[in-house]
Structure formats: C-alpha cells, structure tokens
Amino acid sequence: KITYPACSELYKMFVEDESPLVFHFSKDEDNSSVTCYSIVQTNKLPSDLQKAFRNIRSKAKIANEEQGVNVLYLSFGFLRWIEADNSSQEYNSPLILVPATLTVESLNAPYVLSLHEDEIVVNPTLKYKLENDFGIVLPSFDENSSIDTFLEDVKKIVKAQNWSVESEVSLSLLSFFFFFLFSDLYILIEMMLAIPVVSAISGGYIVLICIFCV
C-alpha cells in the first residue's frame, strides 16, 4: 500500500508526468537494518519492502515469459463492498488499474517502478461482477480523466448500496488471463447460437460443451 503521496498526486506524477518511482535501499555497516530512500512511502518496513519488490518482480517476469502478459499494476481507488446485506464478508476491490514495470539493474541498484505500455483500465472482473450481479455500471475512464472525479462518480453510484470508495493506492500482481478467455468464449457461443442450424441442433447444449472443453 502506498501511503504517500496521496492518490491524485501520485496519479499525476506516475501517469500524467510519466515519472518513474525510484526506491534506493542501503544497509548499515553491520547489516542490522535497511533504509529506503524515496519520495514514495509505503506501509512496509524498508527490509520487508525490499523483499516484496524482489518477489513481485520475479513473479511478474515469470508471467510475462510464460503467458506474454503484464500482471503488475498500481491500483488507484478501492471499492469496499459486500455481497449481501446480511453478509459479514467485506471485499476491497481495486478500481483503476495502471500497468507498471519494476526493474533493478544490479544487486545494489535502486528498484525503479515505471509506467507500462499497456492500457489503463477499470478493473474488468469487478466491472463484470457489478453489472451482472447488481446492475451497477461503473463509469468509463481514460488516462486523461480526473482520478478524483472518477472516484466521486463511483461513490454516487454505489451510495444506495451503502458501499464506500477509498482513495488508496497499492502495488500488486493481478491476472485477468482466464477472465478474458471466458469472455471470448461467451462471445463465440453467442455468435454460434445466432446461426439457426447450430442453435436448432445444439438446443443450447453448446454452452456446456464449450465450457467443458475449456
């Protein structure tokens, strides 16, 4: 979790100005403690942050090599919501996903978080969930939009549900590989069922067959 700068300020810095976030780490002479030098502050101790960066970078690299997709995102704004009024389980879902790249040149070099070339998106799985289960349509967003305006618009939309929107930022690994796979599958199913002969022969069982094959 990024605790400083604030959500809108960090968005301007990282997205609008395309300024990389640089994290310098240094150890004491006796290696008893680690210090992090950066304008960005997180909720982790420097030693834990260094380990987290190492882990995140490794997993993001593997995903890129094996699946050819970027899974590292800076998430701006979070929706805190529950499944039903009588549920005690609260979910905290990211809203705006900004693709990022974490690099380090050598063992003693700083970690650098840069803007990735992929498109900035509204969380696709959350968007699908809200539309299909609650009839809630999240507003559109592009990188030139105001992050504060977007979050305020979401607050108005979910107000009737007694949900909240938090102006928080976090760095995390998020994968939508299977979500997009199933999305493409259902588009294909609709196209096939639109063919009269296929629809008559399958009687709707084509849906089950396609899902089973996946």
Side-chain angles (χ1 to χ4, degrees):
K1 179 180 177 181
I2 308 296
T3 57
Y4 179 86
C7 181
S8 57
E9 184 179 348
L10 185 62
Y11 184 86
K12 182 181 185 306
M13 180 192 308
F14 190 72
V15 179
E16 296 178 7
D17 299 338
E18 297 186 10
S19 298
L21 308 180
V22 183
F23 299 83
H24 294 270
F25 292 94
S26 65
K27 292 184 178 181
D28 291 344
E29 292 183 0
D30 58 359
N31 291 329
S32 60
S33 64
V34 178
T35 304
C36 178
Y37 300 94
S38 175
I39 60 173
V40 177
Q41 298 176 10
T42 74
N43 64 339
K44 288 186 175 293
L45 295 173
S47 57
D48 294 332
L49 180 62
Q50 191 176 38
K51 293 177 183 177
F53 277 165
R54 191 181 302 118
N55 182 48
I56 286 174
R57 179 175 175 272
S58 175
K59 290 182 178 179
K61 183 179 180 181
I62 292 173
N64 186 57
E65 291 175 348
E66 294 184 352
Q67 299 180 0
V69 295
N70 176 65
V71 296
L72 183 61
Y73 294 89
L74 260 182
S75 301
F76 289 81
F78 282 77
L79 175 66
R80 290 183 179 168
W81 59 284
I82 57 176
E83 195 79 45
D85 292 338
N86 59 353
S87 174
S88 59
Q89 176 65 53
E90 184 179 67
Y91 298 95
N92 197 32
S93 303
L95 286 164
I96 299 300
L97 307 181
V98 177
T101 302
L102 186 64
T103 58
V104 60
E105 295 298 329
S106 65
L107 184 62
N108 297 318
Y111 279 89
V112 179
L113 188 68
S114 307
L115 186 66
H116 192 275
E117 62 183 6
D118 285 353
E119 184 182 2
I120 296 172
V121 296
V122 177
N123 185 341
T125 52
L126 178 63
K127 183 178 179 181
Y128 181 86
K129 174 72 174 179
L130 296 183
E131 289 183 10
N132 283 270
D133 290 11
F134 300 97
I136 296 175
V137 179
L138 293 176
S140 58
F141 183 83
D142 63 68
E143 61 183 56
N144 297 316
S145 301
S146 166
I147 188 74
D148 288 336
T149 300
F150 174 83
L151 295 181
E152 284 299 321
D153 289 342
V154 176
K155 284 182 182 179
K156 295 175 183 176
I157 293 174
V158 302
K159 184 178 180 180
Q161 303 286 339
N162 291 320
W163 298 345
S164 64
V165 176
E166 306 298 332
S167 299
E168 298 177 351
V169 183
S170 74
L171 179 66
S172 54
L173 298 167
L174 303 170
S175 178
F176 307 101
F177 179 78
F178 289 105
F179 171 77
F180 289 124
L181 180 65
F182 276 101
S183 295
D184 291 342
L185 174 63
Y186 279 107
I187 292 175
L188 177 61
I189 291 172
E190 291 180 356
M191 293 174 61
M192 294 176 69
L193 290 177
I195 303 174
V197 175
V198 174
S199 180
I201 294 175
S202 68
Y205 288 104
I206 188 173
V207 177
L208 297 176
I209 293 172
C210 290
I211 292 176
F212 178 76
C213 291
V214 172

CSV table of all heavy atoms in Angstrom, one decimal, residues 51-87:
chain,number,residue,atom,x,y,z
A,51,LYS,N,12.2,-7.1,0.1
A,51,LYS,CA,11.8,-8.5,-0.1
A,51,LYS,C,10.6,-8.6,-1.0
A,51,LYS,O,10.5,-9.4,-1.9
A,51,LYS,CB,11.5,-9.2,1.2
A,51,LYS,CG,12.8,-9.4,2.1
A,51,LYS,CD,12.4,-10.0,3.4
A,51,LYS,CE,13.6,-10.1,4.3
A,51,LYS,NZ,13.3,-10.7,5.6
A,52,ALA,N,9.6,-7.7,-0.8
A,52,ALA,CA,8.4,-7.6,-1.5
A,52,ALA,C,8.6,-7.3,-3.0
A,52,ALA,O,8.1,-7.9,-3.9
A,52,ALA,CB,7.4,-6.7,-1.0
A,53,PHE,N,9.5,-6.3,-3.2
A,53,PHE,CA,9.9,-5.9,-4.6
A,53,PHE,C,10.6,-7.1,-5.3
A,53,PHE,O,10.3,-7.4,-6.5
A,53,PHE,CB,10.8,-4.7,-4.6
A,53,PHE,CG,10.2,-3.4,-4.4
A,53,PHE,CD1,10.9,-2.3,-4.1
A,53,PHE,CD2,8.8,-3.3,-4.7
A,53,PHE,CE1,10.3,-1.0,-4.0
A,53,PHE,CE2,8.2,-2.1,-4.6
A,53,PHE,CZ,8.9,-0.9,-4.2
A,54,ARG,N,11.4,-7.8,-4.6
A,54,ARG,CA,12.1,-8.9,-5.2
A,54,ARG,C,11.1,-10.0,-5.6
A,54,ARG,O,11.2,-10.6,-6.7
A,54,ARG,CB,13.1,-9.5,-4.2
A,54,ARG,CG,14.1,-10.5,-4.8
A,54,ARG,CD,15.1,-11.0,-3.7
A,54,ARG,NE,15.8,-9.9,-3.1
A,54,ARG,CZ,15.8,-9.6,-1.8
A,54,ARG,NH1,15.0,-10.4,-1.0
A,54,ARG,NH2,16.5,-8.7,-1.3
A,55,ASN,N,10.2,-10.3,-4.8
A,55,ASN,CA,9.2,-11.3,-5.0
A,55,ASN,C,8.2,-10.9,-6.2
A,55,ASN,O,7.9,-11.7,-7.1
A,55,ASN,CB,8.4,-11.6,-3.7
A,55,ASN,CG,7.3,-12.7,-3.9
A,55,ASN,OD1,7.6,-13.7,-4.4
A,55,ASN,ND2,6.1,-12.4,-3.5
A,56,ILE,N,7.8,-9.6,-6.1
A,56,ILE,CA,6.9,-9.1,-7.1
A,56,ILE,C,7.5,-9.1,-8.5
A,56,ILE,O,6.9,-9.5,-9.5
A,56,ILE,CB,6.4,-7.7,-6.8
A,56,ILE,CG1,5.4,-7.8,-5.6
A,56,ILE,CG2,5.8,-7.0,-8.0
A,56,ILE,CD1,5.0,-6.4,-5.1
A,57,ARG,N,8.8,-8.7,-8.5
A,57,ARG,CA,9.5,-8.6,-9.8
A,57,ARG,C,9.7,-10.0,-10.4
A,57,ARG,O,9.5,-10.2,-11.6
A,57,ARG,CB,10.8,-7.9,-9.6
A,57,ARG,CG,11.7,-7.8,-10.9
A,57,ARG,CD,13.0,-7.0,-10.6
A,57,ARG,NE,13.8,-7.0,-11.8
A,57,ARG,CZ,14.7,-8.0,-12.0
A,57,ARG,NH1,14.9,-9.0,-11.2
A,57,ARG,NH2,15.5,-8.0,-13.1
A,58,SER,N,10.0,-10.9,-9.6
A,58,SER,CA,10.2,-12.3,-10.0
A,58,SER,C,9.0,-12.9,-10.6
A,58,SER,O,9.0,-13.5,-11.7
A,58,SER,CB,10.7,-13.2,-8.9
A,58,SER,OG,10.8,-14.5,-9.3
A,59,LYS,N,7.8,-12.8,-9.9
A,59,LYS,CA,6.6,-13.3,-10.4
A,59,LYS,C,6.1,-12.6,-11.6
A,59,LYS,O,5.5,-13.3,-12.5
A,59,LYS,CB,5.5,-13.2,-9.3
A,59,LYS,CG,5.8,-14.2,-8.1
A,59,LYS,CD,4.7,-14.1,-7.0
A,59,LYS,CE,5.0,-15.1,-5.9
A,59,LYS,NZ,4.0,-15.0,-4.9
A,60,ALA,N,6.2,-11.3,-11.7
A,60,ALA,CA,5.8,-10.5,-12.9
A,60,ALA,C,6.6,-11.0,-14.1
A,60,ALA,O,6.1,-11.1,-15.2
A,60,ALA,CB,6.0,-9.0,-12.7
A,61,LYS,N,7.9,-11.2,-13.9
A,61,LYS,CA,8.8,-11.7,-15.0
A,61,LYS,C,8.4,-13.0,-15.5
A,61,LYS,O,8.3,-13.3,-16.7
A,61,LYS,CB,10.2,-11.7,-14.5
A,61,LYS,CG,11.2,-12.1,-15.6
A,61,LYS,CD,12.7,-12.0,-15.0
A,61,LYS,CE,13.7,-12.4,-16.1
A,61,LYS,NZ,15.1,-12.4,-15.6
A,62,ILE,N,8.1,-14.0,-14.6
A,62,ILE,CA,7.6,-15.3,-15.0
A,62,ILE,C,6.3,-15.3,-15.8
A,62,ILE,O,6.2,-15.9,-16.8
A,62,ILE,CB,7.5,-16.2,-13.7
A,62,ILE,CG1,8.8,-16.5,-13.1
A,62,ILE,CG2,6.8,-17.5,-14.1
A,62,ILE,CD1,8.8,-17.2,-11.7
A,63,ALA,N,5.4,-14.4,-15.3
A,63,ALA,CA,4.1,-14.3,-16.0
A,63,ALA,C,4.3,-13.8,-17.4
A,63,ALA,O,3.6,-14.2,-18.4
A,63,ALA,CB,3.2,-13.4,-15.2
A,64,ASN,N,5.2,-12.8,-17.5
A,64,ASN,CA,5.4,-12.2,-18.9
A,64,ASN,C,6.1,-13.2,-19.8
A,64,ASN,O,5.8,-13.3,-21.0
A,64,ASN,CB,6.3,-11.0,-18.7
A,64,ASN,CG,6.5,-10.3,-20.0
A,64,ASN,OD1,5.6,-9.8,-20.6
A,64,ASN,ND2,7.8,-10.1,-20.4
A,65,GLU,N,7.0,-14.0,-19.2
A,65,GLU,CA,7.7,-15.0,-20.1
A,65,GLU,C,6.8,-16.2,-20.5
A,65,GLU,O,6.9,-16.7,-21.6
A,65,GLU,CB,9.0,-15.5,-19.3
A,65,GLU,CG,10.1,-14.5,-19.2
A,65,GLU,CD,11.2,-15.0,-18.3
A,65,GLU,OE1,11.1,-16.0,-17.6
A,65,GLU,OE2,12.3,-14.3,-18.3
A,66,GLU,N,6.0,-16.7,-19.5
A,66,GLU,CA,5.2,-17.9,-19.8
A,66,GLU,C,3.9,-17.6,-20.5
A,66,GLU,O,3.4,-18.4,-21.2
A,66,GLU,CB,4.9,-18.6,-18.4
A,66,GLU,CG,6.2,-19.1,-17.8
A,66,GLU,CD,5.9,-19.9,-16.5
A,66,GLU,OE1,4.7,-19.9,-16.1
A,66,GLU,OE2,6.8,-20.6,-16.0
A,67,GLN,N,3.2,-16.4,-20.1
A,67,GLN,CA,1.9,-16.1,-20.7
A,67,GLN,C,2.0,-14.9,-21.7
A,67,GLN,O,1.0,-14.7,-22.4
A,67,GLN,CB,0.9,-15.8,-19.6
A,67,GLN,CG,0.7,-17.0,-18.7
A,67,GLN,CD,-0.3,-16.7,-17.6
A,67,GLN,OE1,-0.8,-15.6,-17.5
A,67,GLN,NE2,-0.5,-17.7,-16.7
A,68,GLY,N,3.1,-14.2,-21.6
A,68,GLY,CA,3.2,-13.0,-22.5
A,68,GLY,C,2.3,-11.8,-22.1
A,68,GLY,O,1.9,-11.0,-22.9
A,69,VAL,N,2.0,-11.8,-20.8
A,69,VAL,CA,1.1,-10.7,-20.3
A,69,VAL,C,1.8,-10.0,-19.1
A,69,VAL,O,2.5,-10.6,-18.3
A,69,VAL,CB,-0.3,-11.2,-19.9
A,69,VAL,CG1,-1.0,-11.7,-21.1
A,69,VAL,CG2,-0.1,-12.3,-18.8
A,70,ASN,N,1.4,-8.7,-18.9
A,70,ASN,CA,1.9,-8.0,-17.8
A,70,ASN,C,0.9,-8.1,-16.6
A,70,ASN,O,-0.3,-8.0,-16.9
A,70,ASN,CB,2.1,-6.5,-18.1
A,70,ASN,CG,2.4,-5.7,-16.9
A,70,ASN,OD1,3.5,-5.9,-16.3
A,70,ASN,ND2,1.6,-4.8,-16.4
A,71,VAL,N,1.3,-8.5,-15.4
A,71,VAL,CA,0.4,-8.7,-14.3
A,71,VAL,C,0.7,-7.7,-13.2
A,71,VAL,O,0.0,-7.8,-12.1
A,71,VAL,CB,0.5,-10.1,-13.8
A,71,VAL,CG1,0.0,-11.1,-14.9
A,71,VAL,CG2,1.9,-10.5,-13.3
A,72,LEU,N,1.6,-6.8,-13.4
A,72,LEU,CA,1.9,-5.8,-12.3
A,72,LEU,C,1.2,-4.5,-12.5
A,72,LEU,O,1.2,-3.9,-13.6
A,72,LEU,CB,3.4,-5.6,-12.3
A,72,LEU,CG,3.9,-4.7,-11.2
A,72,LEU,CD1,3.6,-5.2,-9.8
A,72,LEU,CD2,5.4,-4.4,-11.3
A,73,TYR,N,0.4,-4.1,-11.5
A,73,TYR,CA,-0.4,-2.9,-11.6
A,73,TYR,C,-0.3,-2.0,-10.3
A,73,TYR,O,-0.1,-2.5,-9.2
A,73,TYR,CB,-1.9,-3.2,-11.7
A,73,TYR,CG,-2.2,-3.9,-13.0
A,73,TYR,CD1,-2.2,-5.3,-13.1
A,73,TYR,CD2,-2.6,-3.2,-14.2
A,73,TYR,CE1,-2.5,-6.0,-14.3
A,73,TYR,CE2,-2.9,-3.8,-15.3
A,73,TYR,CZ,-2.9,-5.2,-15.4
A,73,TYR,OH,-3.2,-5.9,-16.6
A,74,LEU,N,-0.3,-0.7,-10.6
A,74,LEU,CA,-0.6,0.2,-9.5
A,74,LEU,C,-2.1,0.5,-9.5
A,74,LEU,O,-2.7,0.9,-10.5
A,74,LEU,CB,0.1,1.6,-9.7
A,74,LEU,CG,1.4,1.8,-8.9
A,74,LEU,CD1,2.0,3.2,-9.3
A,74,LEU,CD2,1.2,1.7,-7.4
A,75,SER,N,-2.8,0.1,-8.4
A,75,SER,CA,-4.2,0.3,-8.3
A,75,SER,C,-4.6,1.5,-7.7
A,75,SER,O,-4.1,1.8,-6.5
A,75,SER,CB,-4.8,-0.9,-7.6
A,75,SER,OG,-4.5,-2.1,-8.2
A,76,PHE,N,-5.4,2.3,-8.3
A,76,PHE,CA,-5.8,3.6,-7.8
A,76,PHE,C,-7.3,3.6,-7.4
A,76,PHE,O,-8.2,3.4,-8.3
A,76,PHE,CB,-5.6,4.8,-8.8
A,76,PHE,CG,-4.2,5.1,-9.0
A,76,PHE,CD1,-3.4,4.3,-9.8
A,76,PHE,CD2,-3.6,6.2,-8.3
A,76,PHE,CE1,-2.0,4.6,-10.0
A,76,PHE,CE2,-2.2,6.5,-8.5
A,76,PHE,CZ,-1.5,5.7,-9.4
A,77,GLY,N,-7.6,3.8,-6.1
A,77,GLY,CA,-9.0,3.8,-5.7
A,77,GLY,C,-9.5,2.3,-5.4
A,77,GLY,O,-9.2,1.4,-6.2
A,78,PHE,N,-10.2,2.2,-4.3
A,78,PHE,CA,-10.7,0.8,-3.9
A,78,PHE,C,-12.2,0.9,-3.5
A,78,PHE,O,-12.6,1.9,-2.8
A,78,PHE,CB,-9.9,0.3,-2.8
A,78,PHE,CG,-8.6,-0.3,-3.2
A,78,PHE,CD1,-7.5,0.5,-3.4
A,78,PHE,CD2,-8.4,-1.7,-3.3
A,78,PHE,CE1,-6.3,0.0,-3.8
A,78,PHE,CE2,-7.2,-2.2,-3.7
A,78,PHE,CZ,-6.1,-1.4,-4.0
A,79,LEU,N,-12.9,-0.1,-4.0
A,79,LEU,CA,-14.3,-0.2,-3.6
A,79,LEU,C,-14.5,-1.2,-2.5
A,79,LEU,O,-14.1,-2.3,-2.7
A,79,LEU,CB,-15.2,-0.6,-4.8
A,79,LEU,CG,-16.7,-0.9,-4.6
A,79,LEU,CD1,-17.4,0.4,-4.2
A,79,LEU,CD2,-17.3,-1.5,-5.8
A,80,ARG,N,-15.0,-0.8,-1.4
A,80,ARG,CA,-15.3,-1.7,-0.3
A,80,ARG,C,-16.8,-2.0,-0.3
A,80,ARG,O,-17.6,-1.2,-0.2
A,80,ARG,CB,-14.9,-1.0,1.1
A,80,ARG,CG,-13.4,-0.9,1.2
A,80,ARG,CD,-13.0,-0.3,2.5
A,80,ARG,NE,-11.5,-0.2,2.6
A,80,ARG,CZ,-10.9,0.4,3.6
A,80,ARG,NH1,-11.5,1.1,4.5
A,80,ARG,NH2,-9.5,0.4,3.6
A,81,TRP,N,-17.1,-3.3,-0.5
A,81,TRP,CA,-18.4,-3.7,-0.8
A,81,TRP,C,-18.7,-5.1,-0.1
A,81,TRP,O,-17.7,-5.8,0.2
A,81,TRP,CB,-18.7,-3.8,-2.3
A,81,TRP,CG,-17.8,-4.7,-3.0
A,81,TRP,CD1,-16.5,-4.5,-3.4
A,81,TRP,CD2,-18.2,-6.0,-3.5
A,81,TRP,NE1,-16.0,-5.6,-4.1
A,81,TRP,CE2,-17.0,-6.5,-4.2
A,81,TRP,CE3,-19.3,-6.8,-3.5
A,81,TRP,CZ2,-17.0,-7.7,-4.8
A,81,TRP,CZ3,-19.3,-8.0,-4.1
A,81,TRP,CH2,-18.1,-8.5,-4.8
A,82,ILE,N,-20.0,-5.5,0.0
A,82,ILE,CA,-20.4,-6.8,0.5
A,82,ILE,C,-21.3,-7.4,-0.5
A,82,ILE,O,-22.0,-6.7,-1.3
A,82,ILE,CB,-21.0,-6.6,1.9
A,82,ILE,CG1,-22.3,-5.7,1.8
A,82,ILE,CG2,-20.0,-6.2,2.9
A,82,ILE,CD1,-23.0,-5.6,3.1
A,83,GLU,N,-21.4,-8.7,-0.4
A,83,GLU,CA,-22.2,-9.5,-1.4
A,83,GLU,C,-23.7,-9.3,-1.1
A,83,GLU,O,-24.5,-9.2,-2.1
A,83,GLU,CB,-21.8,-11.0,-1.3
A,83,GLU,CG,-22.3,-11.8,-2.4
A,83,GLU,CD,-21.5,-11.7,-3.6
A,83,GLU,OE1,-20.2,-11.8,-3.5
A,83,GLU,OE2,-22.0,-11.6,-4.7
A,84,ALA,N,-24.1,-9.2,0.2
A,84,ALA,CA,-25.5,-9.1,0.5
A,84,ALA,C,-25.6,-8.3,1.8
A,84,ALA,O,-24.6,-8.2,2.6
A,84,ALA,CB,-26.2,-10.4,0.6
A,85,ASP,N,-26.8,-7.8,2.1
A,85,ASP,CA,-27.0,-7.0,3.4
A,85,ASP,C,-26.7,-7.8,4.6
A,85,ASP,O,-26.2,-7.3,5.6
A,85,ASP,CB,-28.4,-6.5,3.4
A,85,ASP,CG,-28.7,-5.4,2.3
A,85,ASP,OD1,-27.7,-4.8,1.8
A,85,ASP,OD2,-29.8,-5.2,2.0
A,86,ASN,N,-26.9,-9.1,4.6
A,86,ASN,CA,-26.7,-9.9,5.8
A,86,ASN,C,-25.3,-10.6,5.8
A,86,ASN,O,-25.1,-11.5,6.6
A,86,ASN,CB,-27.8,-11.0,5.8
A,86,ASN,CG,-27.8,-11.9,4.6
A,86,ASN,OD1,-27.1,-11.7,3.6
A,86,ASN,ND2,-28.6,-13.0,4.7
A,87,SER,N,-24.5,-10.2,4.9
A,87,SER,CA,-23.1,-10.8,4.8
A,87,SER,C,-22.2,-10.0,5.7
A,87,SER,O,-22.2,-8.7,5.8
A,87,SER,CB,-22.6,-10.8,3.4
A,87,SER,OG,-21.3,-11.2,3.3
